[in-house]
Amino acid sequence: MEAPKIPGDERERLDALFSLELLDSEPEAVFDNLTRLVADVFDIPIVAISLIDESRQWFKSIQGLDVCETGRDISFCGHAIYHKTPLVVENTDADERFRDNPLVTGPPHIVFYAGVPLRYRFNNHQYLLGTLCIIDHKVRTLSEQELKRLQMFAYQVESLIELRLSSQRLEQASKAKSAFMANMTHELRSPIAGVIGMLDILTHSELTATQQRHIELASKSADLLLNIINDILDFSKLEAKKVHIRDDIFNLTKLFEDVFETFSLRSTKTDKNYHLSLDWNKDLVVEGDATRLEQILRNLLSNADKFTQHGHIQVMASLVEQSDNDMTLSCQVIDSGIGINANQINRLFEPFEQIDNSSSKSFGGTGLGLVISKKLCELMGGNITVKSEPGKGSCFCFTIKLKRLKETAPTLTKTEVHQQASFTESELDGAHVLIVDDDITNRSVLEFFLTRLNVQFTSAENGVQASQLLTQLDAYNPVQLILMDCQMPVMDGYTTSKQIREGKLGKHCQDIPNIALTANAMKGDDEKCLRAGMTDYMTKPIKLDQLLEKMVYWSTRKHPH
């Protein structure tokens, strides 16, 4: 028997092979389907895609044999990649190289072999990874046409390997993008949260009319910037398929009326008329994603309001295709605004597009609101369509799927109960709160807020400081509640919370409620906080009235285990 020789570029060839991360990978249907096809086309019992590493030939896919690898020293494929040409052995008994090969004298008793080397370009050089081979237990002859056909199948294997690599790179790029967005979300939202918080503090100060007007303008600018960041974040999450539709239970009429009211209140200051028409029972309770439905409605109403200087804005909604449990919500948002040319309508749903360059200057916005709304509708089993005429206004119609429930008030969750309960500031009397945040502006906002509530507080810049304070304060002034940022230097909020819950800072700390205050807003951040041992979760910028409700609720309770 003649063992296969080692190619001169072996080290580089192995680097190319290992870079693909194919070796010892799980079976994949695309490769198995191709080897089955080759077996059918050639009417042959054994077909394999083999890869040659230092000591073995490993089969990415094999038909006709229940093995995953053999030694390289007895492989036929090792000869093919050394000579860099297709290897055809019509009768192993007549070939001195293979006559006494264990794969010939024993299972699988190879008599006929034909293998075409698989090429891969790596670092501007071409290397041979292994072969696509066919094997029979009897003497065979390949015609020139059959050999060409086998080579064509080998090209298909090479293409599949390239596609697999491209898919891996896309997946890695997507993960990197998600990590980047999560980090940028924190880096952008943290300072904006600080600005909004400080402006909120100033509104409680004694100000002249001029100063109050300046703060209002600054607050509008900060809110606009936050909305832009939220749009970009939402778009990124949708592109990465990280948005999942929830099943909330809510009153459909109340949701529409609450959203519509925020726009209709402007009618006293503008030359616009607002009309809302809902064609269903006002007590109707449904199941669906209330937050995303509200987001779609706000986006469409915001556009209608933005592009309508005077005239009317109307919302007409009804339920269609009803069954005992399922229904389709159909909603039209109609305005008498500037309208859109027919040839520009399709551009409305392209990311970052405006109908013309002047639109962004005149009306503002990222051009993402409609893109996000359309994708959300599609996730909820619906769509958005547009009818418009320049100078005569527009009609945006969206549909989504909802589930019908009994027309009674829904059972509230624990979180909803404590959010809807009536709380008073006096319930926090005597509480000692630990603030943990590395951003001095955010700490200042929280400290000012707690000072107004006459609540005692202690501040820390990171998890290590917080851990030390929890231990020191226990003896004479124990902490009843923690407000914890998640991303901090030295030791972050997740690690600190885990140490608290595991009792590493003492048993006295294990049950202290811990409210996460984080600038992260990616899908799964709330679950991550809860897994780390945090008790509740709020996204910056923090609304102080909501924080008050959570603080009052948890100030009289222990962390649930």
Side-chain angles (χ1 to χ4, degrees):
M1 183 195 81
E2 180 181 318
K5 297 178 181 178
I6 303 299
D9 58 358
E10 178 69 359
R11 186 65 264 165
E12 295 81 2
R13 189 193 70 82
L14 289 173
D15 288 343
L17 175 61
F18 296 150
S19 72
L20 293 170
E21 298 181 0
L22 263 173
L23 289 169
D24 300 306
S25 59
E26 293 295 319
E28 295 175 58
V30 288
F31 292 100
D32 291 340
N33 290 339
L34 190 142
T35 51
R36 276 194 288 267
L37 178 61
V38 173
D40 289 341
V41 168
F42 286 90
D43 188 22
I44 202 156
I46 302 172
V47 179
I49 297 172
S50 77
L51 303 172
I52 308 294
D53 67 10
E54 301 103 322
S55 60
R56 59 180 178 153
Q57 62 172 356
W58 178 82
F59 303 116
K60 177 59 186 171
S61 176
I62 187 164
Q63 303 296 327
L65 285 179
D66 188 19
V67 295
C68 61
E69 63 183 58
T70 63
R72 179 175 180 173
D73 58 334
I74 59 173
S75 71
F76 283 61
C77 300
H79 292 272
I81 67 166
Y82 175 77
H83 292 288
K84 301 183 179 180
T85 57
L87 172 65
V88 179
V89 182
E90 297 179 350
N91 183 359
T92 54
D93 190 50
D95 194 314
E96 292 183 358
R97 294 173 297 174
F98 304 108
R99 182 180 300 161
D100 56 349
N101 187 297
L103 300 177
V104 174
T105 59
H109 299 290
I110 298 175
V111 175
F112 167 85
Y113 170 92
V116 177
L118 299 173
R119 303 163 299 172
Y120 172 58
R121 193 164 189 82
F122 179 72
N123 290 341
N124 296 319
H125 294 281
Q126 184 171 279
Y127 300 100
L128 302 182
L129 308 176
T131 70
L132 170 66
C133 63
I134 57 178
I135 295 170
D136 207 338
H137 307 300
K138 61 183 179 181
V139 177
R140 289 186 61 152
T141 301
L142 277 189
S143 67
E144 184 176 339
Q145 184 177 2
E146 287 177 319
L147 182 58
K148 286 182 178 179
R149 192 174 297 156
L150 185 61
Q151 288 175 314
M152 291 299 295
F153 278 117
Y155 298 155
Q156 291 300 311
V157 175
E158 293 169 0
S159 298
L160 288 178
I161 291 173
E162 289 285 356
L163 285 172
R164 183 183 186 278
L165 181 61
S166 297
S167 176
Q168 285 180 326
R169 288 171 176 169
L170 286 173
E171 185 177 350
Q172 290 168 355
S174 177
K175 289 179 179 178
K177 177 183 174 183
S178 295
F180 172 77
M181 287 307 303
N183 186 57
M184 288 306 298
T185 296
H186 184 273
E187 295 303 318
L188 290 172
R189 290 172 69 96
S190 283
I192 292 173
V195 170
I196 292 175
M198 294 305 293
L199 290 171
D200 194 24
I201 287 175
L202 288 174
T203 59
H204 293 87
S205 306
E206 293 185 7
L207 303 170
T208 65
T210 301
Q211 290 171 330
Q212 186 67 43
R213 176 60 178 161
H214 289 166
I215 288 176
E216 288 176 0
L217 291 173
S219 295
K220 286 182 179 179
S221 295
D223 289 338
L224 176 61
L225 183 55
L226 181 61
N227 287 336
I228 291 172
I229 292 171
N230 287 339
D231 276 352
I232 295 173
L233 179 62
D234 266 343
F235 176 71
S236 298
K237 289 190 289 186
L238 285 163
E239 287 289 291
K241 295 182 172 25
K242 294 202 176 278
V243 172
H244 300 282
I245 300 304
R246 303 186 311 180
D247 292 323
D248 303 319
I249 297 174
F250 61 97
N251 181 292
L252 190 58
T253 301
K254 187 176 187 305
L255 183 146
F256 268 81
E257 288 179 344
D258 288 349
V259 174
F260 192 78
E261 185 180 9
T262 61
F263 290 88
S264 61
L265 287 174
R266 305 173 189 177
S267 60
T268 57
K269 300 180 181 180
T270 61
D271 184 21
K272 302 176 191 177
N273 295 313
Y274 296 79
H275 305 281
L276 175 64
S277 175
L278 305 178
D279 187 17
W280 57 73
N281 189 312
K282 68 176 183 179
D283 296 323
L284 178 65
V285 175
V286 297
E287 183 176 335
D289 196 324
T291 301
R292 294 306 182 179
L293 171 55
E294 182 177 325
Q295 184 177 1
I296 294 167
L297 192 56
R298 285 188 185 279
N299 280 345
L300 296 183
L301 273 170
S302 178
N303 269 0
D305 187 68
K306 182 173 17 177
F307 292 105
T308 303
Q309 300 305 308
H310 55 82
H312 68 270
I313 296 171
Q314 184 176 9
V315 174
M316 300 175 61
S318 62
L319 298 173
V320 296
E321 299 178 16
Q322 299 185 30
S323 66
D324 290 341
N325 298 314
D326 299 319
M327 65 188 78
T328 298
L329 168 68
S330 177
C331 178
Q332 292 180 315
V333 179
I334 306 165
D335 67 68
S336 59
I338 62 176
I340 310 163
N341 287 320
N343 60 357
Q344 294 176 319
I345 286 179
N346 288 337
R347 292 176 55 195
L348 289 172
F349 300 103
E350 293 295 324
F352 305 102
E353 283 281 352
Q354 300 277 0
I355 56 174
D356 56 53
N357 289 333
S358 64
S359 295
S360 58
K361 295 179 182 178
S362 302
F363 302 101
T366 60
L368 287 176
L370 289 176
V371 181
I372 292 169
S373 297
K374 183 175 177 66
K375 288 182 178 292
L376 290 175
C377 283
E378 290 169 350
L379 282 174
M380 290 190 281
N383 200 3
I384 291 184
T385 57
V386 187
K387 293 181 181 179
S388 187
E389 189 174 338
K392 295 187 178 180
S394 305
C395 174
F396 286 80
C397 178
F398 74 87
T399 59
I400 63 169
K401 299 286 187 182
L402 295 171
K403 291 183 179 179
R404 177 191 295 276
L405 299 176
K406 293 181 181 179
E407 297 181 2
T408 57
T411 301
L412 298 177
T413 64
K414 178 184 70 175
T415 302
E416 291 169 331
V417 168
H418 89 251
Q419 287 178 345
Q420 292 191 9
S422 176
F423 294 124
T424 61
E425 297 176 9
S426 62
E427 294 181 63
L428 288 172
D429 286 350
H432 183 193
V433 177
L434 176 61
I435 302 170
V436 190
D437 198 316
D438 63 308
D439 189 289
I440 187 172
T441 305
N442 288 326
R443 285 204 312 276
S444 298
V445 170
L446 292 172
E447 288 169 355
F448 177 83
F449 174 60
L450 296 181
T451 300
R452 284 186 58 236
L453 297 176
N454 294 318
V455 172
Q456 184 184 0
F457 61 86
T458 304
S459 296
E461 297 181 11
N462 54 61
V464 171
Q465 285 188 10
S467 301
Q468 294 170 345
L469 286 170
L470 284 170
T471 303
Q472 295 168 3
L473 292 169
D474 177 57
Y476 62 94
N477 193 7
V479 171
Q480 280 85 45
L481 184 67
I482 304 172
L483 303 180
M484 179 83 73
D485 187 28
C486 291
Q487 289 191 355
M488 297 178 291
V490 187
M491 187 162 73
D492 62 27
Y494 303 115
T495 305
T496 308
S497 296
K498 286 180 180 178
Q499 292 191 359
I500 292 172
R501 298 300 168 227
E502 291 170 358
K504 294 182 178 179
L505 305 183
K507 290 185 178 180
H508 66 280
C509 296
Q510 283 185 282
D511 296 328
I512 299 177
N514 178 355
I515 301 175
L517 309 180
T518 175
N520 290 342
M522 295 294 285
K523 171 67 181 175
D525 286 324
D526 49 352
E527 292 93 339
K528 184 177 180 181
C529 287
L530 298 177
R531 284 198 306 271
M534 295 173 176
T535 312
D536 212 331
Y537 172 93
M538 292 188 72
T539 301
K540 296 177 183 178
I542 303 301
K543 294 182 180 179
L544 297 182
D545 57 339
Q546 293 179 3
L547 177 59
L548 171 61
E549 291 175 352
K550 287 184 180 290
M551 287 177 60
V552 171
Y553 180 81
W554 289 114
S555 66
T556 58
R557 291 166 173 80
K558 293 182 178 181
H559 175 79
H561 292 282

